[in-house]
C-alpha cells in the first residue's frame, strides 16, 4: 500500500462524521395574500420598518396578522409579529425568504393594538419593535393551551355588582362636582378626557378608581389603569373585591380538563399586569386579555400596553410620579400613552391624583396647542364643604407663625408647639413623622435669605462643578458670574446639605418612653408595610409609610389612620433642583396627609419649617390647582413645558452637536428659536452641559462615554410631532452609518437635568 493510499485509523465511535447536505425544503406560496409584513424584534433604530416574508401554504391559516413568528434575518433567527398580509411586495419574489415557523397562531397583538403601537412609536420617536419588547411578554406555550379551555367560560355581571356600583356612585356623586359627566362618559362612547382631584382619606383614591373600573365593566367596556407602585395596585384590587369583581386567578370552578391549582386555567374579571410579576403569570394575564377573556387590567407602568380594545377606560393615578416614565427607548410617558390610546379608541381618559400636575392643569385651562399625547380636559373637583369635612387640620409652623404664638424654640427642627400637639395626638393613636430622605444631596442657596440660587438665563438650579469655583446652571450650563440674589440682593452663596440622619435619636429625647419605628429602604428592617393602631411614633421616608391596621378599642371604635402627621424638614423643598420639584413635594405631602384622620376625629397635619407659600397654601386648603396654576404661569414666562414641548438629547459631545445642527435647532435653523406664548423669541437649545457616565458603565466603555453631554430642545407644542420625526430620523442615520459615540433622546422628559 502506497503512502498516498494510507488512511488514519480511528477507534469505533471516534471516526469523523460525514455530514450530508440536506435538500432545500420545498415551499408552496399561500394562495391568498402570500406576503407577510413582519416587525422584527430588532431594536436598532434604522431597522424599524417591516420586512417582507413569504407564507407557506401549510401556514396560510395560522399566519394571521398579530401572530408571533420566527424568521431568518441575516445570519440568525429572530422573533417577530406579523403586521399585515398582502398579495405583493416591493422586494423581488426571488429575494424573499419563507417564514420558518408560526408560533401558536393566536393573535397576540390585535389590530387595534398594532395601530396603537404605531401611533405611540411615532409620538415618541421610537420604533414599533421598541414598544413590542415592552408590551408583549415572553411566550409560554403551556399557558396558551390552558387558557383556551377557560376562554368561553365568562360570567355575566351579577345584580349584586350593579347594586354595589350604584350605591358607591351615589356616595361619590354627593362629594364631587360634575360627577354625572364622568358617569355618562363611562357608560357611553366617544372620547372624553378628565382630570380628577381626589379627596383626602384612607383608600379614597382606590375606591374612586374601583368605581370607574366597575362602571366601565357594567357598560360592556374594558379598562386599563396604571398605578405608581404595587401598594396602590393592592388597594385598588381590594376595593374591586368589595364591589364584587373577581381578580384574575386560579379558578376553583375551572372547566373540565383544567387544573384548578396554580398550573391550570385562570378565570376572573380584572387582571394584574406588572413587570415584577412572574414571567408565566404575566404572560397568562396578557394572553387572556388579548383573546378577550379579561376586559379590565390594572398594574404598574407595564399595564399601559395591555391589549384592551374598544371605548375603554384609560386611567392613570399620580401621573407626575417618576415611576410613570419608561426607562427604555422610546422613554414613553404612561400619561401620554394612555391619553393617546383613549382618543384612538373613543374611550375615557382620567388622570386622578391628590396633587394636580402642571400638565393636567394646562389641559384643564386649555393652554397650548393639542398634541398626540395631550389636549383639553374637564376637571372634576371635590365640593368645598365635603373637602373641609374630610381633610385634617393643617398648620404651617414657620418662623412667622411661631413668632405669633410666642414660641421660644424658633429655629428648632421640632418646635415646642409641635411637641405639645403630638403628645396630645399620641393618646389617640400612632403619629407619623415624614422625613424627606435618608440620602445626602447638595444645593446652592443665598447665604442671607436662604432662597435657592437659580440661573438668570433659564431659571435652572445652580450647582458647583468639580475643579471650578464658579457655579453653573444644571439645565443650560451657563456660568453664574457676579450672581446677585433677586430677593435680598445678596451676593454670597452657601452649600445646603440635605439629610435625615439621627432623626430617631432626636425624637427619642423629645418623646421619652414612646415606641418608635423607622421605615425606609436604607434601614436594616427596610420598609414596614403595616402597623397596629396603638401609641407609637413612625418615622418614614416618602413612599415607605406603613398602613394602619384597624384595632377595636374598649368603646368599640376602630381606627385605620394616623392621629397626626408631622412633615419634618419642610425647608428641603426649597432646594430641590427638579423642574417638578414643587409638585413632587406637594404630592408626597398630600399622600401622607391622606393617611391622617379627618378634623372631625381630631386629625392634624403639621408642616415644620419654611417652604414655598404656594405649596403650604395648596396643602392647607387641599386645592392643588393653586400650585399648578402658579407653576404653569411661571413656566410660560420662561418657556418651559408644558407650555412648550421639550426633548432631551444626550450622548457624546460631537454626536449631540451634529444632531442639533441636523434638526435645525442651532446656527440659524428653522427650529433655532422657540416662540414663547407672550410673543418673545427664546433660544430653542439649553446646553449642552456635561453629565456623568451611566452607573452601569464598563471599564471598556469609558473611552466611548467620555465627554458626555446633555442638551434640551424646546419647540412650540404644535411642532412636537415634527421634532419627534426629525430626532428619530437623525438618530437612525447615526446608527446606520456606524458613527462613533452614544446618541439618545427623549420626548416629554419629566425633568431637564
Amino acid at each position: 500500500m502506497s503512502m498516498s493510499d494510507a488512511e488514519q485509523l480511528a477507534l469505533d465511535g471516534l471516526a469523523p462524521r460525514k455530514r450530508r447536505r440536506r435538500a432545500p425544503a420545498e415551499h408552496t406560496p399561500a394562495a391568498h395574500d402570500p406576503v407577510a409584513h413582519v416587525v422584527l424584534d430588532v431594536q436598532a433604530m434604522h431597522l424599524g420598518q417591516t420586512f417582507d416574508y413569504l407564507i407557506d401554504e401549510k401556514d396560510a391559516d395560522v399566519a394571521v396578522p398579530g401572530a408571533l413568528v420566527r424568521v431568518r434575518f441575516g445570519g440568525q433567527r429572530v422573533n417577530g409579529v406579523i403586521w399585515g398580509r398582502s398579495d405583493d411586495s416591493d422586494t423581488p419574489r426571488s429575494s424573499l425568504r419563507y417564514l420558518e415557523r408560526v408560533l401558536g397562531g393566536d393573535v397576540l397583538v390585535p389590530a387595534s393594538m398594532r395601530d396603537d403601537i404605531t401611533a405611540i412609536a411615532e409620538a415618541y420617536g421610537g420604533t414599533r419593535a421598541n414598544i413590542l419588547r415592552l408590551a408583549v411578554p415572553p411566550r409560554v406555550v403551556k399557558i396558551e393551551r390552558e387558557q383556551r379551555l377557560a376562554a368561553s367560560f365568562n360570567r355575566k355581571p351579577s345584580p349584586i355588582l350593579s347594586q354595589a356600583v350604584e350605591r358607591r356612585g351615589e356616595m361619590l356623586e354627593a362629594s364631587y362636582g360634575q360627577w354625572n359627566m364622568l358617569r355618562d362618559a363611562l357608560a357611553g362612547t366617544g372620547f372624553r378626557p378628565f382630570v380628577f382631584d381626589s379627596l383626602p382619606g384612607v383608600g379614597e383614591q382606590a375606591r374612586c378608581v374601583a368605581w370607574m373600573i366597575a362602571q366601565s365593566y357594567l357598560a360592556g367596556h374594558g379598562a386599563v389603569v396604571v398605578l405608581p407602585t404595587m401598594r396602590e395596585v393592592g388597594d385598588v384590587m381590594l376595593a374591586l373585591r368589595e364591589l364584587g369583581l373577581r381578580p384574575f386567578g386560579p379558578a376553583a370552578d375551572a372547566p373540565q380538563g383544567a387544573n384548578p391549582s396554580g398550573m391550570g386555567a385562570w378565570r376572573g374579571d380584572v387582571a394584574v399586569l406588572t413587570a415584577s410579576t412572574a414571567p408565566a403569570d404575566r404572560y397568562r394575564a396578557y394572553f387572556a386579555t388579548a383573546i378577550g377573556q379579561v376586559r379590565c387590567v390594572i398594574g404598574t407602568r407595564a399595564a399601559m400596553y395591555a391589549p384592551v380594545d374598544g371605548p375603554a377606560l384609560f386611567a392613570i393615578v399620580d401621573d407626575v410620579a417618576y415611576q410613570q416614565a419608561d426607562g427604555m427607548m422610546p422613554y414613553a410617558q404612561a400619561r401620554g400613552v394612555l391619553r393617546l390610546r383613549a382618543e384612538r379608541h373613543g374611550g375615557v381618559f382620567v388622570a386622578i391624583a391628590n396633587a394636580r400636575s402642571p400638565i393636567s392643569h394646562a389641559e384643564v385651562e386649555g393652554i397650548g396647542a393639542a398634541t398626540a399625547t395631550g389636549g383639553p380636559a374637564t376637571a372634576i373637583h371635590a365640593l368645598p364643604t365635603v373637602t373641609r369635612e374630610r381633610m385634617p387640620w393643617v398648620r404651617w409652623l414657620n418662623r412667622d407663625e411661631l413668632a405669633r404664638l410666642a414660641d421660644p424654640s424658633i429655629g428648632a427642627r421640632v418646635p415646642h408647639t409641635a411637641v405639645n400637639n403630638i403628645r396630645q395626638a399620641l393618646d389617640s393613636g400612632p403619629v407619623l413623622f415624614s422625613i424627606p430622605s435618608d440620602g445626602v444631596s447638595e444645593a446652592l442657596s443665598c447665604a442671607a435669605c436662604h432662597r435657592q440660587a437659580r440661573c438668570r438665563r433659564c431659571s435652572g438650579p445652580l450647582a458647583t462643578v468639580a475643579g471650578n469655583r464658579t457655579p453653573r446652571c444644571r439645565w443650560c450650563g451657563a456660568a453664574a458670574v457676579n450672581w446677585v440674589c433677586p430677593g435680598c440682593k445678596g451676593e454670597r452663596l452657601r452649600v445646603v446639605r440635605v439629610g435625615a440622619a439621627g432623626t430617631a435619636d432626636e425624637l427619642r429625647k423629645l418623646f421619652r418612653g414612646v415606641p418608635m419605628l423607622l421605615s425606609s429602604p436604607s434601614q436594616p428592617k427596610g420598609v414596614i408595610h403595616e402597623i397596629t393602631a396603638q401609641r407609637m411614633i413612625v418615622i418614614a421616608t416618602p413612599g415607605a409609610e406603613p398602613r394602619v391596621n384597624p384595632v377595636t378599642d374598649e368603646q368599640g371604635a376602630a381606627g385605620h389612620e394616623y392621629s397626626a402627621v408631622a412633615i419634618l424638614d419642610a425647608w428641603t423643598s426649597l432646594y430641590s433642583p427638579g423642574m417638578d420639584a414643587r409638585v413632587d413635594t406637594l404630592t408626597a405631602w398630600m399622600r401622607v396627609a391622606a393617611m391622617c384622620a379627618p378634623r372631625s376625629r381630631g386629625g392634624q397635619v403639621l408642616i415644620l419649617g419654611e417652604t414655598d407659600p404656594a405649596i403650604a397654601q395648596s396643602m392647607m386648603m387641599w386645592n392643588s390647582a393653586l400650585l399648578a396654576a402658579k407653576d404653569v404661569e411661571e413656566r410660560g414666562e420662561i418657556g418651559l413645558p408644558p407650555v412648550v414641548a421639550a426633548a432631551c438629547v444626550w450622548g457624546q459631545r460631537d454626536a449631540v452637536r451634529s444632531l442639533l445642527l441636523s434638526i435645525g435647532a442651532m446656527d440659524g435653523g428653522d427650529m433655532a428659536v422657540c416662540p414663547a406664548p407672550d410673543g418673545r423669541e427664546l433660544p430653542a437649545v439649553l446646553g449642552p452641559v456635561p453629565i456623568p457616565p451611566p452607573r452601569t458603565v464598563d471599564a471598556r466603555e469609558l473611552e466611548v462615554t467620555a465627554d458626555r453631554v446633555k442638551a434640551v430642545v424646546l419647540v412650540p407644542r404644535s411642532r412636537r410631532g415634527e421634532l419627534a420625526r426629525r430626532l428619530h430620523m437623525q438618530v437612525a442615520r447615526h446608527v446606520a452609518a456606524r458613527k462613533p459615540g452614544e446618541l439618545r433622546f427623549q420626548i416629554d422628559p419629566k425633568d431637564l437635568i
Side-chain angles (χ1 to χ4, degrees), residues 161-231:
L161 172 64
S162 303
Q163 296 171 6
V165 172
E166 185 177 356
R167 288 194 302 269
R168 180 69 57 80
E170 292 175 353
M171 297 171 58
L172 295 174
E173 187 175 6
S175 303
Y176 294 91
Q178 297 184 335
W179 184 264
N180 57 334
M181 298 178 62
L182 176 60
R183 182 191 58 217
D184 296 341
L186 291 171
T189 58
F191 174 60
R192 293 294 302 275
F194 295 92
V195 172
F196 193 105
D197 301 322
S198 61
L199 283 166
V202 178
E204 175 67 17
Q205 276 190 353
R207 288 189 291 269
C208 292
V209 172
W211 179 86
M212 296 178 199
I213 295 173
Q215 182 71 15
S216 182
Y217 178 85
L218 289 175
H221 304 156
V224 178
V225 178
V226 175
L227 302 113
T229 66
M230 287 301 299
R231 172 181 283 192

Side-chain angles (χ1 to χ4, degrees), residues 126-345:
T127 64
R128 287 169 286 195
N130 296 152
I131 309 297
L132 280 174
R133 67 171 169 177
L134 302 172
V136 183
R139 180 171 177 257
V140 182
V141 179
K142 177 182 64 175
I143 285 175
E144 295 179 359
R145 294 195 298 266
E146 294 171 351
Q147 284 306 126
R148 289 193 194 99
L149 296 174
S152 59
F153 290 85
N154 290 326
R155 66 166 187 165
K156 297 181 180 180
S158 64
I160 299 178
L161 172 64
S162 303
Q163 296 171 6
V165 172
E166 185 177 356
R167 288 194 302 269
R168 180 69 57 80
E170 292 175 353
M171 297 171 58
L172 295 174
E173 187 175 6
S175 303
Y176 294 91
Q178 297 184 335
W179 184 264
N180 57 334
M181 298 178 62
L182 176 60
R183 182 191 58 217
D184 296 341
L186 291 171
T189 58
F191 174 60
R192 293 294 302 275
F194 295 92
V195 172
F196 193 105
D197 301 322
S198 61
L199 283 166
V202 178
E204 175 67 17
Q205 276 190 353
R207 288 189 291 269
C208 292
V209 172
W211 179 86
M212 296 178 199
I213 295 173
Q215 182 71 15
S216 182
Y217 178 85
L218 289 175
H221 304 156
V224 178
V225 178
V226 175
L227 302 113
T229 66
M230 287 301 299
R231 172 181 283 192
E232 286 79 10
V233 173
D235 293 342
V236 172
M237 186 59 75
L238 180 61
L240 288 170
R241 283 176 176 268
E242 294 175 354
L243 290 178
L245 289 176
R246 297 182 306 168
F248 180 70
D253 56 343
Q256 187 177 3
N259 182 6
S261 65
M263 304 301 293
W266 286 18
R267 294 169 62 184
D269 305 316
V270 183
V272 175
L273 193 60
T274 67
S276 61
T277 309
D281 293 345
R282 182 182 176 187
Y283 183 73
R284 189 188 298 273
Y286 180 90
F287 182 78
T289 308
I291 64 177
Q293 183 184 354
V294 177
R295 298 201 311 264
C296 302
V297 178
I298 65 173
T300 52
R301 189 178 62 241
M304 65 182 176
Y305 298 121
V308 173
D309 194 10
L313 165 70
F314 294 88
I316 182 170
V317 178
D318 284 343
D319 59 312
V320 77
Y322 73 91
Q323 294 97 334
Q324 309 295 12
D326 210 329
M328 300 179 69
M329 187 67 193
Y331 307 104
Q333 295 280 353
R335 189 189 196 282
V337 170
L338 292 174
R339 182 182 172 108
L340 182 149
R341 294 191 64 191
E343 186 170 4
R344 294 182 60 84
H345 288 249

Side-chain angles (χ1 to χ4, degrees), residues 388-461:
R388 287 193 295 269
E389 293 174 0
R390 299 277 190 91
M391 67 177 293
W393 294 105
V394 181
R395 299 183 65 185
W396 180 24
L397 298 181
N398 60 349
R399 287 180 174 270
D400 295 339
E401 179 65 13
L402 293 175
R404 188 185 67 83
L405 297 173
D407 191 322
S409 60
I410 295 178
R413 195 180 184 196
V414 185
H416 290 171
T417 303
V419 172
N420 294 332
N421 290 345
I422 292 170
R423 283 175 178 167
Q424 296 176 4
L426 284 170
D427 296 335
S428 303
V431 173
L432 173 65
F433 277 83
S434 178
I435 58 178
S437 64
D438 276 345
V440 177
S441 59
E442 291 186 355
L444 289 179
S445 68
C446 175
C449 67
H450 309 300
R451 176 180 296 191
Q452 185 181 21
R454 290 191 170 271
C455 176
R456 288 175 293 188
R457 179 187 176 192
C458 69
S459 298

Side-chain angles (χ1 to χ4, degrees), residues 70-90:
R70 184 167 296 159
V71 299
R72 277 276 184 179
F73 182 74
Q76 58 184 350
R77 290 183 176 91
V78 298
N79 291 341
V81 175
I82 299 179
W83 221 251
R85 291 177 57 168
S86 65
D87 197 25
D88 56 0
S89 171
D90 295 335

Side-chain angles (χ1 to χ4, degrees), residues 655-679:
V656 170
R657 178 171 177 80
S658 176
L659 173 66
L660 296 176
L661 288 172
S662 60
I663 66 173
M666 294 181 65
D667 295 349
D670 62 334
M671 282 190 175
V673 175
C674 177
D678 58 2

